[in-house]
């Protein structure tokens, strides 16, 4: 089967670290062009404008968007209107309404649209969901704490309205939660800690309503020093489970489960699996626009009690 020509828009850290290597390693894809005002990939045709790319390269079937969420809608809409399939880095848009509009446009044009949630592809997430499927939930506790200076240095857009703040990594945890719980939950309360010199939260605590009365909570914090923490602890009527390392490590009743990917790296295999999924969607004419993780984020901003905390500076 011939590879599909794809363009990558938004050549920053996540593109270089994850998207470019995943595309290069896959027989499904040929990286045919990039779109970026500043970045480029050696040996790949570069454009600075999405409309120019679409006009000059009608042979490119798929556009993968890696830029921050705020400008992503215009790029995605342009590609869809031109009849191209579109792959969206998480979160899929700056607002839910944007995502709904993109889905309607994709259906109108008969092309594939994929809202990716890379943490769902971590090594042990699927196995965790399978273990929980026939059990009654007692509690689920998310602790997602990391050092923003380490993982997002100099990225001022995350602190501006629309940049999500600590929910940029927090939505990764929510994407796992919504994938593994047998029954959906909805947010009932939240507290958002916002630095006095920023527009988005640096920390948040969430409290969810579960249809069976289970206690489901989450704590996100971008001020973590030392060891980074990405865990989901679940208690059921038939035992306990812990997903750690962002979904790469699974422990059930104190016994660590075998890791199919071998090295316990939370990012190992995530983006290759996303691109494999996109290839299947393109071949089948399918679409995947699950917005459930983003709904929880939107509800946190709607319901959240805002607390002003000390300024944050890099």
């Amino acid at each position: 089967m011939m590879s599909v020509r794809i363009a990558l828009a938004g050549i920053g850290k996540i593109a270089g670290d994850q998207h470019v290597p995943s595309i290069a390693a896959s027989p499904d894809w040929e990286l045919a062009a990039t779109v970026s005002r500043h970045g480029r990939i050696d040996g790949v045709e570069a454009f600075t404008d999405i409309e120019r790319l679409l006009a000059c390269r009608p042979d490119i079937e798929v556009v993968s968007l890696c830029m921050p969420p705020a400008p992503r809608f215009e790029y995605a809409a342009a590609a869809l209107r031109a009849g191209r399939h579109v792959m969206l880095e998480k979160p899929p848009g700056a607002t839910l309404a944007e995502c709904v509009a993109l889905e309607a446009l994709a259906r109108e044009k008969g092309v594939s649209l994929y809202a990716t949630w890379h943490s769902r592809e971590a090594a042990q997430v699927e196995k965790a969901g399978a273990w929980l499927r026939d059990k009654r939930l007692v509690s689920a506790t998310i602790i997602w704490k990391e050092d923003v200076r380490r993982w997002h240095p100099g990225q001022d857009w995350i602190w501006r309205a629309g940049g999500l703040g600590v929910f940029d990594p927090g939505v990764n945890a929510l994407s796992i939660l919504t994938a593994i719980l047998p029954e959906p939950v909805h947010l009932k309360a939240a507290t958002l800690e916002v630095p006095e010199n920023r527009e988005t939260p640096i920390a948040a605590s969430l409290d969810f309503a579960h249809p069976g009365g289970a206690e489901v909570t989450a704590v996100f914090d971008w001020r973590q020093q030392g060891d980074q923490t990405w865990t989901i602890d679940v208690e059921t009527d038939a035992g306990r489970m812990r997903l750690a390392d962002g979904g790469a490590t699974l422990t059930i009743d104190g016994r660590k489960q075998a890791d199919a990917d071998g090295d316990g790296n939370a990012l190992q295999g995530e983006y290759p699996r996303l691109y494999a999924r996109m290839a299947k969607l393109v071949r089948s004419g399918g679409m995947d626009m699950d917005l459930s993780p983003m709904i929880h984020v939107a509800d946190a901003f709607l319901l959240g009690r805002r607390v002003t905390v000390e300024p944050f500076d890099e």
Side-chain angles (χ1 to χ4, degrees):
M1 182 179 296
M2 292 184 61
S3 58
V4 175
R5 294 184 182 92
I6 188 170
L8 201 56
I11 307 303
K13 179 174 173 55
I14 192 65
D17 289 351
Q18 299 297 335
H19 290 263
V20 173
S22 297
I23 292 169
S26 171
D28 291 323
W29 303 104
E30 174 194 340
L31 182 55
T34 63
V35 183
S36 177
R37 287 177 297 174
H38 307 293
R40 60 185 302 142
I41 305 299
D42 289 343
V44 178
E45 186 177 11
F47 295 84
T48 57
D49 177 78
I50 184 68
E51 297 287 0
R52 182 71 175 163
L53 164 79
L54 296 170
C56 294
R57 294 296 305 268
D59 58 316
I60 291 177
E61 299 178 53
V62 179
V63 178
S64 180
L65 302 179
C66 308
M67 73 278 295
R72 199 176 298 152
F73 177 80
E74 296 300 332
Y75 279 70
L80 293 171
R81 285 194 295 265
R84 316 301 170 91
H85 309 287
V86 172
M87 183 173 175
L88 302 166
E89 176 62 85
K90 67 87 186 173
T95 70
L96 288 168
E98 284 185 357
C99 298
V100 171
L102 291 177
E103 181 174 356
L105 182 57
R107 293 191 186 281
E108 176 189 335
K109 294 297 183 179
V111 294
S112 296
L113 180 63
Y114 182 20
T116 69
W117 301 104
H118 67 81
S119 289
R120 287 183 173 176
E121 302 298 336
Q124 300 285 17
V125 170
E126 184 176 0
K127 186 182 291 186
W131 185 82
L132 284 172
R133 197 166 295 135
D134 61 351
K135 296 173 178 64
R136 181 178 64 83
L137 190 70
V138 176
S139 67
T141 304
I142 297 173
I143 304 294
W144 224 254
K145 296 182 177 182
E146 62 182 60
D147 183 354
V148 64
R149 292 183 175 93
R150 175 176 172 183
W151 299 102
H152 298 272
Q155 296 181 28
D156 283 342
W157 64 268
I158 57 178
W159 297 111
R160 295 194 292 269
L164 297 187
V166 76
F167 285 99
D168 183 75
V171 77
N172 295 335
L174 296 173
S175 73
I176 295 175
L177 185 75
T178 51
I180 66 175
L181 288 189
E183 298 174 295
V185 296
H186 67 269
L187 193 72
K188 62 180 182 181
T191 299
L192 312 181
E193 298 183 35
V194 183
E196 64 179 38
N197 62 334
R198 302 293 184 172
E199 297 175 348
T200 57
I202 197 169
S205 58
L206 312 179
D207 188 8
F208 296 90
H210 180 268
E215 183 179 355
V216 181
T217 60
V219 174
F220 306 145
D221 201 321
W222 249 352
R223 300 166 295 194
Q224 179 83 343
Q225 300 291 311
D227 292 341
Q228 309 290 280
T229 304
W230 303 287
T231 62
I232 301 178
D233 287 298
V234 180
E235 181 181 355
T236 75
D237 61 344
R240 296 173 179 266
M241 181 198 83
R242 165 171 278 202
L243 264 176
D245 304 318
T249 304
L250 176 63
T251 304
I252 296 174
D253 291 330
R255 296 187 296 274
K256 185 177 179 181
Q257 305 300 296
D259 180 0
D261 284 337
D263 68 358
N265 182 345
L267 292 178
Q268 178 68 31
E270 289 184 5
Y271 280 83
R273 283 190 280 272
L274 292 179
Y275 276 96
R277 169 72 171 153
M278 184 63 185
K280 291 179 181 178
L281 290 173
V282 169
R283 288 195 291 267
S284 67
M287 185 178 303
D288 185 346
M289 279 294 287
D290 178 19
L291 300 178
S292 54
M294 195 170 172
I295 288 172
H296 291 318
V297 174
D299 285 351
F301 279 96
L302 283 169
L303 293 176
R305 181 175 63 92
R306 285 163 172 77
V307 177
T308 301
V309 297
E310 63 185 15
F312 176 83
D313 295 296
E314 290 203 50

